[in-house]
Amino acid sequence: SVKNRYGATDEIGVFKMASGGLQPVLNPSELFSGLSTDSGESGGIYPAVTATMEGTRPLLVEIQALCSEIQGGGGEKDSKYIRSANGVNFSRLYMLLAVLSKHAGIYVGNRSLFINVTGGLRLQEPATDLAVLMAIASSHLDRKIIRGTAFIGEVGLGGELRSVGQLERRVSEAQKVGFKRCVIPYSSSGHPQIEGIEVIPAKNVKQAIDKSLQNY
């Protein structure tokens, strides 16, 4: 056998187990984004999809959020609300919750919150902030995200959306998988123009919420 010791260390490979052994997944974004299933749109879980960079490859991932009245603790007096985050950095999560409360008027401190990144992936970059925030807002308000919408952008402490690197490649990946809308940070220099997907710029989190959630 031959071992390649010179490959890039920041690339990932995705495989699935088939009857004949491991087979490569040719389109990992479709697998992790959940676009082909409706499983996330029931039971009060409305997922948000973002495009993260794994090495040089844009990869779409689905983020689920569930706000609930359930409490944990040793009894009613000691009860407290639960914060569970699978695949999301806790410090970043608390920052996003503070921004939601201060700049969008959405306070989830009196409810338990569960966050899950499907497929067991772990979010490593701020470009996924907007999708995490949108998943939380959607569940808390019990309003679905407009179908076929992806989210890309870093969230600042002032509630502003900040641009991220390789934005055009990320939006293009969303379009290839089948997304029709993509919310991105507003830029005075313009935004990517990609056929087949509507690019929706937003200056802050409140604008992003207003442009992305279905009305009651």
Side-chain angles (χ1 to χ4, degrees):
S1 64
V2 177
K3 181 180 290 186
N4 180 4
R5 299 180 183 272
Y6 303 99
T9 60
D10 59 354
E11 297 289 348
I12 65 169
V14 181
F15 299 86
K16 63 180 179 180
M17 179 61 73
S19 58
L22 287 176
Q23 300 292 331
V25 176
L26 300 180
N27 192 349
S29 287
E30 187 172 359
L31 174 67
F32 290 117
S33 68
L35 183 66
S36 59
T37 67
D38 295 327
S39 59
E41 294 191 358
S42 59
I45 301 176
Y46 309 134
V49 173
T50 187
T52 185
M53 298 299 296
E54 291 291 343
T56 59
R57 168 190 289 178
L59 182 65
L60 299 188
V61 294
E62 179 184 276
I63 302 165
Q64 297 179 333
L66 175 62
C67 293
S68 171
E69 303 297 335
I70 190 173
Q71 297 184 20
E76 184 176 348
K77 184 177 180 181
D78 300 323
S79 296
K80 60 181 180 179
Y81 293 99
I82 301 168
R83 297 286 181 265
S84 175
N86 180 24
V88 178
N89 178 273
F90 259 110
S91 297
R92 200 76 188 173
L93 174 61
Y94 281 116
M95 185 274 283
L96 293 176
L97 291 176
V99 170
L100 260 182
S101 174
K102 179 71 173 180
H103 300 290
I106 299 175
Y107 177 66
V108 298
N110 57 352
R111 305 181 76 183
S112 289
L113 174 64
F114 302 87
I115 301 286
N116 180 55
V117 180
T118 59
L121 296 177
R122 185 163 187 82
L123 303 182
Q124 302 286 353
E125 57 171 350
T128 60
D129 285 351
L130 181 57
V132 175
L133 184 145
M134 290 302 307
I136 297 170
S138 174
S139 180
H140 179 78
L141 298 173
D142 201 20
R143 293 170 57 190
K144 292 182 180 181
I145 293 171
I146 297 174
R147 185 165 176 80
T149 304
F151 302 93
I152 303 168
E154 178 181 355
V155 175
L157 290 176
E160 76 280 8
L161 299 187
R162 296 177 175 269
S163 187
V164 300
Q166 304 188 67
L167 180 59
E168 187 168 352
R169 289 192 62 195
R170 298 173 196 257
V171 176
S172 180
E173 182 70 10
Q175 186 274 330
K176 289 177 183 176
V177 175
F179 284 85
K180 301 301 182 184
R181 308 169 79 247
C182 187
V183 179
I184 66 169
Y186 170 85
S187 174
S188 58
S189 59
H191 53 267
Q193 300 288 341
I194 298 175
E195 186 177 356
I197 188 169
E198 179 186 3
V199 177
I200 304 170
K203 293 183 177 180
N204 51 54
V205 296
K206 194 171 188 313
Q207 280 190 6
I209 292 171
D210 291 341
K211 294 179 179 183
S212 306
L213 298 186
Q214 296 179 7
N215 296 323
Y216 292 104

